[in-house]
Amino acid sequence: MIVAIDGPSGAGKSTVAKAVAKELGFSCLDTGAMYRAIAWRALQDGVALDDDEALGQVSRRYDISFGHVEGDPVPRRVFIGDVEVTDAIRTAEIDRAVSPVSAAPSVRAALLDQQRRIGGAGNYVVEGRDIGTVVFPDAAVKVFLTASDEERAHRRVRQNVDRGIGSIDYEEVLADLRRRDAADSSRATAPLRAAEDAVRIDSTSHYIEEVIDQICELAREKM
Ligand code: C5P
């Protein structure tokens, strides 16, 4: 069974997806981390971010995998090939590089295969931008999670402080979120949009626990 959670950057998808997976006893797949890992590898290899052919080669050459921190059922560690990139893919440099990389049709085709293979192996909560529309159009539950731009930027600033990455400028974060959403929504291949049969949830004025409960309820109705 697949629970698909799509939405723009910073809407709370990761937090919600991991908590829902924990609650339901499902595995969890963060597809954004996969695009970030390809962007990281492409920068390391000096691949031009507008070179669809070369980006495709990178995506096909390396497998992306996830690992657990001891005692935590949610896979938070990210690897590309043998290299762990858990922290390296969360920088501002990768935030900028990931939009052109994820717009490359060859990258999307390669990751689509990997995502279907991983998610098809069991019960999964899968989060991204095109999960309900393209990757798993038959998902049992589809959620499109949003929040206001300002709320999403505030959350991202708080998250960085909590993660010990340091403080970042609110206005810069807001501008970056809007830039990324515009790029994700306007690209030709698998743009960010809600599936017609997705349940839309706006998390701006709801506690995250309420959103988690609501999605678990939707999933239990289908079990
Ligand atoms: O979710 P996260 O912000 O980590 O995703 C990083 C980027 O990866 C997004 O801005 C988007 O460009 C891309 N992405 C995508 N399709 C997905 C998941 C993420 O294009 N399914």
Side-chain angles (χ1 to χ4, degrees):
M1 177 169 165
I2 298 286
V3 175
I5 304 181
D6 290 303
S9 318
K13 293 189 303 295
S14 281
T15 308
V16 167
K18 288 179 172 80
V20 168
K22 223 172 193 170
E23 178 73 26
L24 297 175
F26 282 21
S27 304
C28 172
L29 176 61
D30 174 358
T31 60
M34 300 176 80
Y35 288 96
R36 288 172 177 274
I38 299 296
W40 179 86
R41 190 69 256 176
L43 290 179
Q44 293 294 308
D45 293 353
V47 170
L49 300 183
D50 58 356
D51 187 341
D52 184 61
E53 177 58 35
L55 289 171
Q57 277 173 14
V58 171
S59 316
R60 291 187 295 273
R61 191 177 311 139
Y62 296 97
D63 264 334
I64 297 162
S65 56
F66 295 86
H68 295 265
V69 179
E70 226 180 272
D72 185 351
V74 173
R76 294 179 202 274
R77 301 176 70 193
V78 187
F79 298 83
I80 179 159
D82 294 335
V83 186
E84 176 162 11
V85 291
T86 308
D87 296 326
I89 60 171
R90 302 291 166 193
T91 63
E93 190 186 16
I94 299 296
D95 280 351
R96 281 189 299 274
V98 73
S99 302
V101 167
S102 68
S106 61
V107 173
R108 301 208 74 85
L111 290 193
L112 179 65
D113 281 348
Q114 287 196 36
Q115 288 160 10
R116 286 190 175 151
R117 200 167 57 236
I118 297 171
N123 291 322
Y124 264 87
V125 179
V126 186
E127 55 144 317
R129 305 290 188 287
D130 61 338
I131 308 308
T133 52
V134 175
V135 184
F136 291 109
D138 298 329
V141 176
K142 296 183 188 180
V143 171
F144 196 76
L145 188 62
T146 57
S148 71
D149 295 359
E150 292 75 11
E151 175 63 19
R152 292 187 291 130
H154 278 303
R155 286 182 191 163
R156 187 51 57 87
V157 170
R158 280 199 301 269
Q159 198 178 54
N160 269 38
V161 172
D162 292 348
R163 281 183 178 157
I165 298 170
S167 63
I168 37 172
D169 181 59
Y170 168 79
E171 293 297 335
E172 255 177 58
V173 173
L174 184 62
D176 182 65
L177 285 177
R178 287 178 169 155
R179 179 193 59 73
R180 235 161 10 109
D181 290 349
D184 290 345
S185 304
S186 63
R187 70 177 172 230
T189 314
L192 165 67
R193 66 179 174 80
E196 270 171 25
D197 50 349
V199 176
R200 290 168 181 268
I201 302 178
D202 185 333
S203 72
T204 310
S205 53
H206 290 94
Y207 286 114
I208 216 79
E209 288 76 16
E210 292 178 84
V211 176
I212 294 162
D213 286 349
Q214 191 180 346
I215 299 174
C216 286
E217 207 44 53
L218 290 170
R220 288 199 182 99
E221 284 167 12
K222 298 289 172 77
M223 286 164 101

